[in-house]
Amino acid sequence: MLHLKLWLLLLCQIIDLSKGAQAKQQCRLQLNNDIATAPSIPTSVVPTSPNSSTPSSSSSSTSPAPSRTPFNYSEGPVRGVNLGGWFVLEPWITPSIFEATNDDTVVDEYTLGMKTKNYNETLAMLQNHWNTWITEDDFIAINEAGLNHVRIPLGYWSVPLPSSATNTSTSISPYIPGAWPYLLRALNWAAAHNVHVILDLHGAPGSQNGYDNSGQRTSDPQWALNTQNVTRSIDTLVYIAQQIGGMIDILELVNESAGFFSSEWASVTRSFFSNGYAAVRNAVGDTLNIMIGDAFLGVDAWDGFLTYPTGVNALMDNHEYQIFSIPELQRSFSEHLAFTCTIRSTISSFAAANIWTIEGEWSTAPTDCALWLNGRGVGARWDNSYNGGASNGSCNGWTGNYTSFSSEYKTFLRQYWEAQVDIGESAQGWVYWAWKTESADEWSYQKGLEGGWIPADPTQRMYPDPCSNSSGT
C-alpha cells in the first residue's frame, strides 16, 4: 500500500541514517505508480535536531483516493496552480514572516537562516508555516476548482541528500532544513484528491538566478560558475527521483536559470539539462516525465533539444509575465491582451515541432505593485518607487484586497485570465502563479475564484476566442 511506503519513508527521515550502508539501503524506497489509498499521516513527533522535523496532521481525515492513472500529456490539457511561497519563501507572498524578524536585512530564506538569533524559534516558525500555509483543504479546493495539477517549488536545502548520494558537499548552511516530511505529506494529499504534481527544483546551490525565489537574493549568483553546484544539483534530482519519483508526475530540473547572464551561463544550463536528464533516466527509467525551462532565452532557443528519440517524456516550461520592465507596464489593457495573443503561435508551434510545452508560470497581475514583489525593501516600477521610470500613478486599487478593485479592472483580469489560458491550452496547458498570497489578491487564484474574475470551471468563457483578431491566431 502506498500510504505504508510513504509512512516508512517518513520514518527514514527521522532516524539516524549514519548506521551503515545496509540501513541506508533499507530506507531507499521506490514509490512507483501503485497509487491506491493515501490517508493523512497522523504524527505529532517533535523534531529533536535540524534534520528531523516531522509534520503533524492538519486535517482530521483524508478520504481514500481513487486509483490514479498517469496523466496523458499528449492529450491534456494541464490546468494547475503553483504552490508558491510554501517550501521556498518569497517576501511578497508571505510578508508577515519577514516582518516578524524585525530585521530589514532578512530578505530571503538564506538570510533568514544566516541572521537568526534563535535557531529553534526560527525552525518552529518555519514548521508552523509548512504546516499551515497549504493544507489538505487546499488540495480539496484545487480539485474542486477543476484543476488537475500543482507545481510545488522546492529548495535543494530541503532535500535530505546523504553523503552516499553525492561526491560534493551536503552542507546547506545557513538554510534551515525540515520541509521534506511536509512535502511527503503533500504528495499524499495530492494522490488522495487526484491532483497531479510537478516538483520543481526552485532553489539550486549557489542560486541559479540571484532572485529571492531561488532562496538567495544576490548580485553574484554562483550556480553555473561552480561545477560542484551543478553536480550537486544533478545528484539532488537523482535522489528525489529515486525516493519519491513514483509520487510525482513531472520533475523539473531547475527553475528559471538566468541564461541571459552570459553565453557561459546559458551553455552550462544547456549541459546541465542534458546531463540531468540522462542521470535521472539512468536512475529511474523513462516513466517519470522530466521538465526543462527556457532559461529566459525563449522557447525557440531550444529548438531540437531533447526531442525524440534523444528525449522521452520531456517537457518545456515557459514563463510569461508583462510587468518586470517599464515598457511592459506602460501597456494599456488592450495592449496587454494583444501582446499575449502574439505568444500563441510561438508556443503552439514549438510544442508541435519539439516537446510538450506548458505555460508553467503566469499571472493576471498587470502591475508590479504587490508589496516587495521586486524584493523586500524594494518599491515598484509602476509608481516610480523603484528603477526610476515614468510613474503610471499610484498603486492604490491595483493590489491588496480585491474589494478595492474597480469593475473595469476586474473585467480586465477576467479577460487576461482567459487569453493566457487560451495560450497555454494551444499547447499542453498552464500552471498559474500562485494559488494564494497573504496580501496581493491580483496574484491569487484562490482570491480570483472568490472575486469572480477566475471561473469556478476553468473551461468556462465569457470572452471566447480572445485572440481571434490577433496575429497570434
Side-chain angles (χ1 to χ4, degrees):
M1 298 290 285
L2 176 67
H3 62 284
L4 177 59
K5 289 184 179 180
L6 200 50
W7 174 240
L8 290 172
L9 186 55
L10 266 173
L11 290 178
C12 285
Q13 308 311 315
I14 61 173
I15 64 173
D16 182 4
L17 293 183
S18 63
K19 301 184 186 302
Q22 183 178 3
K24 293 177 183 177
Q25 182 62 34
Q26 289 172 346
C27 279
R28 188 179 296 277
L29 299 180
Q30 295 285 350
L31 300 182
N32 297 318
N33 291 322
D34 55 347
I35 297 172
T37 305
S40 60
I41 302 171
T43 176
S44 57
V45 175
V46 177
T48 57
S49 73
N51 294 307
S52 62
S53 61
T54 302
S56 59
S57 176
S58 64
S59 297
S60 59
S61 64
T62 306
S63 58
S67 179
R68 192 181 67 172
T69 57
F71 192 85
N72 188 338
Y73 292 95
S74 64
E75 295 182 0
V78 170
R79 295 176 175 135
V81 286
N82 283 275
L83 303 184
W86 192 12
F87 299 133
V88 179
L89 297 179
E90 297 189 37
W92 74 273
I93 295 179
T94 55
S96 67
I97 288 177
F98 291 84
E99 290 167 340
T101 66
N102 295 313
D103 184 345
D104 292 343
T105 65
V106 175
V107 298
D108 51 26
E109 202 155 339
Y110 185 94
T111 50
L112 177 70
M114 183 173 66
K115 294 176 177 292
T116 184
K117 296 178 176 63
N118 187 314
Y119 184 97
N120 289 334
E121 285 185 2
T122 304
L123 174 60
M125 177 274 294
L126 286 169
Q127 290 172 331
N128 179 66
H129 171 70
W130 297 328
N131 201 45
T132 60
W133 181 244
I134 300 293
T135 70
E136 184 178 5
D137 289 341
D138 289 290
F139 282 86
I140 293 170
I142 287 165
N143 174 275
E144 290 177 346
L147 304 177
N148 52 37
H149 276 72
V150 292
R151 180 171 177 257
I152 303 180
L154 186 70
Y156 79 95
W157 57 90
S158 294
V159 181
L161 183 71
S163 58
S164 60
T166 184
N167 291 322
T168 68
S169 170
T170 57
S171 171
I172 60 168
S173 180
Y175 290 107
I176 297 176
W180 182 255
Y182 297 84
L183 169 65
L184 301 181
R185 186 177 63 179
L187 300 182
N188 233 5
W189 289 337
H193 300 292
N194 203 27
V195 176
H196 297 272
V197 175
I198 303 168
L199 187 63
D200 150 43
L201 188 63
H202 217 72
S207 176
Q208 72 276 16
N209 53 35
Y211 302 149
D212 57 15
N213 59 46
S214 74
Q216 184 180 10
R217 174 178 147 190
T218 174
S219 60
D220 188 29
Q222 293 293 307
W223 176 74
L225 306 181
N226 184 324
T227 57
Q228 292 290 293
N229 288 334
V230 176
T231 298
R232 181 174 179 177
S233 299
I234 292 174
D235 293 342
T236 299
L237 292 161
V238 168
Y239 181 82
I240 290 171
Q242 290 175 327
Q243 297 298 312
I244 57 174
M247 285 292 288
I248 63 178
D249 298 84
I250 298 174
L251 178 60
E252 184 163 3
L253 300 185
V254 75
N255 177 67
E256 293 186 345
S257 174
F260 58 84
F261 279 165
S262 66
S263 58
E264 177 188 4
W265 199 285
S267 177
V268 170
T269 300
R270 184 174 290 267
S271 296
F272 165 74
F273 284 153
S274 293
N275 295 334
Y277 173 89
V280 172
R281 285 283 173 257
N282 288 338
V284 298
D286 291 343
T287 302
L288 179 62
N289 299 283
I290 298 177
M291 179 178 278
I292 63 172
D294 69 4
F296 297 106
L297 301 174
V299 294
D300 287 343
W302 301 89
D303 186 57
F305 189 78
L306 285 184
T307 54
Y308 185 83
T310 302
V312 178
N313 293 332
L315 299 95
M316 169 61 71
D317 179 14
N318 181 66
H319 298 175
E320 292 292 343
Y321 297 108
Q322 296 183 46
I323 57 173
F324 293 113
S325 73
I326 291 169
E328 289 174 311
L329 290 168
Q330 291 175 336
R331 291 173 184 157
S332 65
F333 285 166
S334 60
E335 288 170 339
H336 276 297
L337 293 169
F339 182 82
T340 297
C341 291
T342 66
I343 301 167
R344 178 175 177 168
S345 61
T346 300
I347 298 302
S348 60
S349 297
F350 177 85
N354 289 275
I355 57 178
W356 297 324
T357 301
I358 293 172
E359 292 292 281
E361 286 190 27
W362 58 279
S363 167
T364 53
T367 80
D368 65 341
C369 283
L371 177 68
W372 297 343
L373 179 66
N374 296 303
R376 186 181 186 188
V378 180
R381 299 173 187 84
W382 180 266
D383 64 1
N384 196 23
S385 57
Y386 167 59
N387 220 28
S391 174
N392 292 286
S394 170
C395 278
N396 292 338
W398 293 100
T399 189
N401 191 301
Y402 73 82
T403 59
S404 69
F405 297 172
S406 69
S407 58
E408 179 187 17
Y409 184 24
K410 287 192 284 189
T411 296
F412 165 74
L413 292 176
R414 176 61 177 258
Q415 292 173 324
Y416 203 22
W417 183 89
E418 291 193 14
Q420 292 182 90
V421 164
D422 188 64
I423 303 309
E425 296 193 5
S426 73
Q428 275 64 54
W430 49 270
V431 187
Y432 183 90
W433 189 282
W435 172 242
K436 63 187 293 191
T437 68
E438 281 185 345
S439 57
D441 289 358
E442 73 276 21
W443 285 83
S444 169
Y445 202 98
Q446 189 179 60
K447 291 298 184 180
L449 292 169
E450 184 180 310
W453 66 86
I454 295 178
D457 177 356
T459 67
Q460 183 187 52
R461 298 289 182 271
M462 293 180 65
Y463 306 96
D465 301 321
C467 297
S468 58
N469 296 318
S470 165
S471 59
T473 305

